[in-house]
Amino acid sequence: MKIVILILRILLGLIFIGSAALKLFPIEAFELVLIKQVGFSWAAAPFFARLIILFEFALGIALVFGWKARLTIWASLAMLAFFTLFLGYQIVIGAGDENCGCFGELIPMDAPTSIAKNLILIAWSLVLLWQFHFHKNWKYSWINLIVTFIAIPALFLALPLPEVDLNKEATIGDELVEILDSDLEWDLNEDDKLIVVMMAKCVHCKQLASLLSTLEPTKAQSTLRIIVYGSDESIQEFVLETGIESFQVKRSANRNLLQAINGTFPTAMLVKEGDIVSNWTGSELNINLLSKVLQNKE
């Protein structure tokens, strides 16, 4: 029985570690969950996203190494109960079909699915507490403290906080064109450009991109520009699945652009000689509209 409890505790810890790691791919998507579903400001979300990831990682490491196991199990129960209540609230207000970000963008979950997952983990944790007399401290359980303290600077070095002023409201305007011009090295001051912004794990973006791939590349290449948010791997998969490799596609993690479009995917902007003259977001954006815009540019 001691071996069973040990395995269950380690597996629970690995689930928390995996959940923390998956939120990093990409972290911008998890920040958007905190902004649009939880209500954090654009300035606060990057910090709290990293804080939640570190807390989840610390819980997982502590469970794996058995450091203060009873306290750690109670902490995991408290976190699971809090998020379960929040997800229940999301369902009540009609937002339960959105990805909650629990396992990042790589394993999307809506609120009902995540609640079911949380209830299983809560029952799992209660079993560990019920059979806690079988728990045995590891001789080197303190190693988890070293791993946790190394993880803190490592995360902020690998994914530093944005250097832009997110307290200042970003808008779709001329200043954004200058930022994109510099960031993506596209000359937006000459000729007309139709810029489409997408998220690699966005279902609607995949549908739109697949339809864009049916356009004649030679007619659209000079005007169409596609920006995709996501990890390198998810973007590569996105491009191959949708067949848009013939067009100019670039990855971005630009927070000014993300804030300007209010994290709404897909978004399109028509740029004429450095000025954004039209923009479309979400459901109003479709292939017929984009085809019409591109035809008018030919």
Side-chain angles (χ1 to χ4, degrees):
M1 194 63 182
K2 288 182 179 180
I3 297 297
V4 173
I5 294 301
L6 174 64
I7 292 173
L8 287 176
R9 194 194 73 222
I10 291 174
L11 287 176
L12 182 63
L14 291 175
I15 290 172
F16 277 107
I17 293 170
S19 175
L22 288 172
K23 289 181 174 67
L24 300 172
F25 303 104
I27 196 169
E28 294 90 356
F30 183 52
E31 291 172 15
L32 281 177
V33 170
L34 297 183
I35 292 166
K36 305 192 82 172
Q37 296 184 36
V38 184
F40 280 99
S41 69
W42 283 90
F47 173 76
F48 279 97
R50 288 157 178 78
L51 188 65
I52 292 170
I53 290 169
L54 285 170
F55 180 70
E56 207 167 8
F57 177 79
L59 276 181
I61 286 293
L63 284 167
V64 168
F65 283 92
W67 183 77
K68 295 190 179 296
R70 189 187 295 273
L71 176 63
T72 306
I73 295 170
W74 276 113
S76 64
L77 273 170
M79 187 178 76
L80 289 167
F82 173 80
F83 282 115
T84 300
L85 290 173
F86 175 76
L87 290 168
Y89 169 74
Q90 290 289 98
I91 294 174
V92 170
I93 64 174
D97 58 342
E98 297 181 31
N99 180 19
C100 65
C102 298
F103 283 125
E105 291 293 300
L106 295 179
I107 307 178
M109 285 187 174
D110 58 15
T113 304
S114 189
I115 287 176
K117 177 261 299 178
N118 285 354
L119 291 177
I120 292 172
L121 294 181
I122 287 171
W124 191 330
S125 301
L126 289 173
V127 168
L128 290 176
L129 285 175
W130 176 46
Q131 298 294 334
F132 193 79
H133 54 282
F134 286 111
H135 171 75
K136 182 179 180 181
N137 283 317
W138 284 18
K139 183 178 180 181
Y140 301 105
S141 61
W142 50 268
I143 291 177
N144 91 94
L145 295 175
I146 297 174
V147 175
T148 300
F149 281 118
I150 291 174
I152 296 173
L155 176 61
F156 283 93
L157 284 172
L159 295 168
L161 291 170
E163 295 182 359
V164 295
D165 183 8
L166 294 176
N167 284 305
K168 187 170 72 172
E169 186 177 354
T171 57
I172 296 178
D174 297 345
E175 186 177 345
L176 181 61
V177 173
E178 294 178 8
I179 292 170
L180 292 178
D181 215 359
S182 172
D183 187 36
L184 301 172
E185 298 179 349
W186 283 335
D187 189 356
L188 301 177
N189 293 309
E190 295 182 3
D191 301 325
D192 296 347
K193 295 291 186 292
L194 178 61
I195 301 174
V196 183
V197 188
M198 303 186 182
M199 173 74 78
K201 291 296 180 178
C202 164
V203 174
H204 301 298
C205 295
K206 283 188 177 181
Q207 293 172 345
L208 182 61
S210 296
L211 293 172
L212 282 173
S213 69
T214 64
L215 298 175
E216 180 61 44
T218 56
K219 294 182 178 181
Q221 277 176 342
S222 61
T223 303
L224 184 61
R225 300 290 183 271
I226 300 174
I227 299 172
V228 187
Y229 280 83
S231 64
D232 291 332
E233 293 77 12
S234 63
I235 292 175
Q236 184 179 12
E237 180 183 347
F238 178 85
V239 171
L240 292 175
E241 280 187 6
T242 58
I244 57 172
E245 60 269 15
S246 299
F247 302 110
Q248 291 198 41
V249 182
K250 288 195 176 183
R251 178 184 185 273
S252 179
N254 191 297
R255 306 307 171 91
N256 290 113
L257 173 59
L258 200 61
Q259 185 180 9
I261 66 173
N262 195 31
T264 304
F265 300 98
T267 288
M269 297 171 284
L270 178 60
V271 182
K272 286 179 174 285
E273 297 179 354
D275 296 325
I276 297 177
V277 296
S278 299
N279 67 85
W280 307 268
T281 59
S283 59
E284 65 179 346
L285 187 57
N286 56 66
I287 189 61
N288 293 328
L289 185 149
L290 294 181
S291 297
K292 184 177 179 180
V293 172
L294 288 169
Q295 285 173 5
N296 289 337
K297 299 304 116 198
E298 293 174 11

